[in-house]
Amino acid sequence: MRTPPEIEASAHGQETLERLRLILLYFTRNNDQPAIAAGESLGLVAPDLGSLIIELADRALELEQPDLAVQFMMELVRRRPTDPAVHLNFGLLLKSLGWEEEAERELLTAAGLARPEEAAYLASECHRRGQVSAAESLCRFFLARHPDSAAVLICLGHIQAGRGEGGPALRSYQRALAIRPDSAEAWYHLGCLYLQKLNQWIEAASCFQEAVRLRPDFIDAYLNLGCTRLRQGLLNEAFDAFDQARRVNPGRAEAWHNLGNLLLRRSANLAEAIACGQKALELNPDYTAACVALLEAKHKACDWDNLEELKERLTRLTEKDLARGLVTVEDPLLNLRWYDDPARNLAVAASISRNLALTVDRTGAAFNPPNPRSPGDKITIGYLSGHFNHHPITHLIAGLLRNHHRERFRILAYSQGRDDGTGQRAKISRAVDRFVDLSGLSDLQSAGMIHRDGVDILVDLTGHTQGGLLGVCAHKPAPVQVGYLGFLGTTGADFLDYFVTDRTVTPPDQAAWYTEKLIFLPHCYQVNDDALPVSTRTYRRQDFGLPEDALVFCCFNDAYKIEPMMFEVWMRILGRVNRGVLWLVQTNALASSNLRREAKARGVDPDRLIFSGRLPLEEHLARLKLADLGLDTRLYNGGATTSNLLWAGVPLVALEGRHFVSRMSASALRAAGLPELAAPGLEEYENLAVRLAGNPGGLAALRRKLARNITFEPLFDTARFTRNLEAAYEEIWRLFLSGQPPRSIEIKE
């Protein structure tokens, strides 16, 4: 036995060490009672002698005396030579000390002594403690002697699935089911494999259904069945599965959370979604996913009760995860909506992106370097999106795709979203050289197709958004990769080389909070389509319940962007502008009701808040002309919503905030030649809105100025924007061809 180096121990530590040696001496001489009494003097009170010896070994390790710990475990083995759990614990101790040969002997002894159900438990315990290879050795050793052990086969499949070995795991589960077709556990784990690793949702659902048929109280199977149905888009079936999980075990927080989260995604019943989220947190106060979903539901519903308390709880939970190096549950997009702190935004986004990169690294999938290119070759640009349908990104980017110089660029569009039948996909398809549908392909398969197409610069339009495709980018299918437009902040990803921005939304002193190198465009980061059609239909105010003689303020941002601080300012504005009304979009009935209640609580007649439903974009642009002045939100500005308002000829008052998404409207206003409408603070914002509302002549002059600027200023000059972005593409491609690493660049006109 090796002797560890001598260590200096404190007086207390030395005393404890002497007592441990004395206890070991008692045990070796079979003087158990004095040994137990001495153990109690150290505060070690165990339910049985074996547990006491294990605790004594742990105490020896704390004092950096591994040999002493080994001797305690050897004493336990002497006393219980046929107990497989004793040999397992001894083997794991030896393995942790680097004594591989001795450890292997003890682990195999444990497997040889175990009965089938014990062998599965021992292997699972090894796996739980992170000893994956030891767990697999136990399984294989036992299966060599007892090949018909379904429990051990299930354990082996679980180990293989955890390592990403989908094929071997599938075979292990199938072998287990051939032996025990009535094993609900085997059906469940096979379903998890289909769901989480193989993306075969029909097969997964079938497995979970069989598991709950065999075991009607199998709550985890119900929960996973619900998740599978969600992936399939079968929302009613998902609701039934989650509801059944809640009925099976109403004390399980996950059941309440999943049910509430589904209601949130459907926006079917936000009040019930909030109630489910509150119940989940009541059952588990540290349930981060439930905290995130509840916050999102309350924001969507404009239910601001206990909002700050919830945000503080989420902050604590997220900081705890980050400190432990765990992947954050907090969604990066929601983080941008709720926190105007670039450092926090980066930390949350980077946590998710690092995990994506690690997952890809484990697959070992790598692409060959691109074929040599010459500077004179056309540059192939691939635009990657899950939203080439009726979506703001599509409306914004169509003009860019249409204006690209085809003699210098080959333009490809990669879509993983569904065709929603609105004609937007066809519009994009006509604007590019080739439209590629990636639907149904895995991230790796999608990346392989992009690589085979010879894409030089891949532009990701999704980032950390719902349906985002960063998992494709993580495989690095293109030599240069750029983040743009879909996710308005750093992705925290080391596999994206660049991020498109401007100096308003990303002041140079915030560059440290981006993992990407920055491409600074000269005006506004956001492209707009100067061919965006506006309906010729003439609307009247009475069509939307707007008073003819009122000063109509408007905000058509989604309800989740409205938060108490800015709403307070809006109500003060209405208090100072007697004939003013506030025109808002009706996103859901609960939000409208809550906002009217909040207005009344602030002394404003709720009827001065007027809500209208959504319209097709062309008609929406036409009705916007009925408004007098736009009021932007605070933490998350309007993006396409702001440019739509300006395109319709309506000026907008905005706040210049602290991070990208709270400075978007300021960027748009500067590019529209209206920088005076971007206020530096809430007081200035309020006073500016009141001053404009009280000066009809000045407001009319402002509208005339905007009408002229739409033609001459850069915000709606799509060809000009395209030339600037193309200049950026050519520069970053030049850097790549010359072997230089990515660096931030600024495009000058």
Side-chain angles (χ1 to χ4, degrees), residues 660-729:
F660 191 120
V661 294
S662 61
R663 302 170 67 88
M664 295 189 296
S665 290
S667 174
L669 288 168
R670 286 193 172 94
L674 298 171
E676 66 272 20
L677 296 183
L682 288 174
E683 183 178 354
E684 293 89 345
Y685 176 105
E686 178 184 340
N687 291 334
L688 177 58
V690 172
R691 185 169 68 251
L692 290 171
N695 182 2
L699 188 54
L702 189 60
R703 292 177 73 106
R704 289 193 297 271
K705 179 181 179 181
L706 174 57
R708 290 192 303 271
N709 289 2
I710 284 174
T711 303
F712 299 109
E713 294 293 334
L715 183 63
F716 293 106
D717 191 337
T718 310
R720 183 177 180 181
F721 179 94
T722 305
R723 300 295 84 81
N724 289 326
L725 186 61
E726 287 178 341
Y729 288 159

Side-chain angles (χ1 to χ4, degrees), residues 265-487:
R265 300 289 164 242
R266 296 172 66 183
S267 295
N269 190 332
L270 283 176
E272 188 176 350
I274 290 169
C276 287
Q278 289 170 331
K279 181 65 176 178
L281 279 181
E282 177 188 317
L283 292 168
N284 182 357
D286 292 335
Y287 193 176
T288 310
C291 189
V292 171
L294 179 56
L295 263 173
E296 187 179 1
K298 288 174 78 69
H299 274 280
K300 278 190 171 184
C302 295
D303 177 353
W304 300 330
D305 292 339
N306 302 318
L307 203 60
E308 290 307 311
E309 178 188 332
L310 266 177
K311 286 179 70 174
E312 289 172 7
R313 183 188 303 202
L314 179 59
T315 297
R316 290 194 302 272
L317 292 170
T318 296
E319 287 177 350
K320 184 178 178 181
D321 285 345
L322 290 172
R324 296 165 63 192
L326 301 177
V327 180
T328 61
V329 177
E330 185 177 346
D331 179 84
L333 180 60
L334 298 178
N335 178 266
L336 288 180
R337 292 178 186 173
W338 301 337
Y339 302 96
D340 56 350
D341 178 354
R344 180 185 173 89
N345 303 149
L346 168 61
V348 170
S351 167
I352 307 295
S353 292
R354 277 195 302 269
N355 187 59
L356 274 175
L358 285 172
T359 302
V360 169
D361 287 345
R362 290 191 198 105
T363 67
F367 294 102
N368 296 324
N371 295 324
R373 314 283 214 285
S374 70
D377 291 343
K378 277 188 181 182
I379 303 173
T380 298
I381 310 292
Y383 288 95
L384 176 66
S385 178
H387 304 299
F388 284 137
N389 48 37
H390 180 57
H391 188 277
I393 297 297
T394 304
H395 301 312
L396 291 172
I397 208 167
L400 168 67
L401 301 179
R402 192 174 61 247
N403 274 271
H404 269 307
H405 276 148
R406 291 311 199 269
E407 67 275 13
R408 290 153 52 203
F409 299 92
R410 183 170 69 114
I411 307 300
L412 309 180
Y414 294 91
S415 172
Q416 214 172 60
R418 62 185 178 85
D419 186 349
D420 58 4
T422 61
Q424 294 300 317
R425 172 173 290 200
K427 182 179 179 181
I428 295 297
S429 183
R430 290 192 298 270
V432 298
D433 295 309
R434 189 156 70 91
F435 186 94
V436 183
D437 188 356
L438 302 177
S439 299
L441 300 184
S442 68
D443 288 346
L444 178 58
Q445 290 169 328
S446 298
M449 184 170 289
I450 292 167
H451 182 75
R452 287 191 296 274
D453 287 342
V455 170
D456 299 316
I457 300 175
L458 180 65
V459 183
D460 173 55
L461 299 172
T462 63
H464 294 290
T465 60
Q466 187 174 4
L469 300 172
L470 281 179
V472 176
C473 301
H475 287 88
K476 286 287 287 183
V480 180
Q481 302 195 147
V482 179
Y484 179 51
L485 200 58
F487 183 76

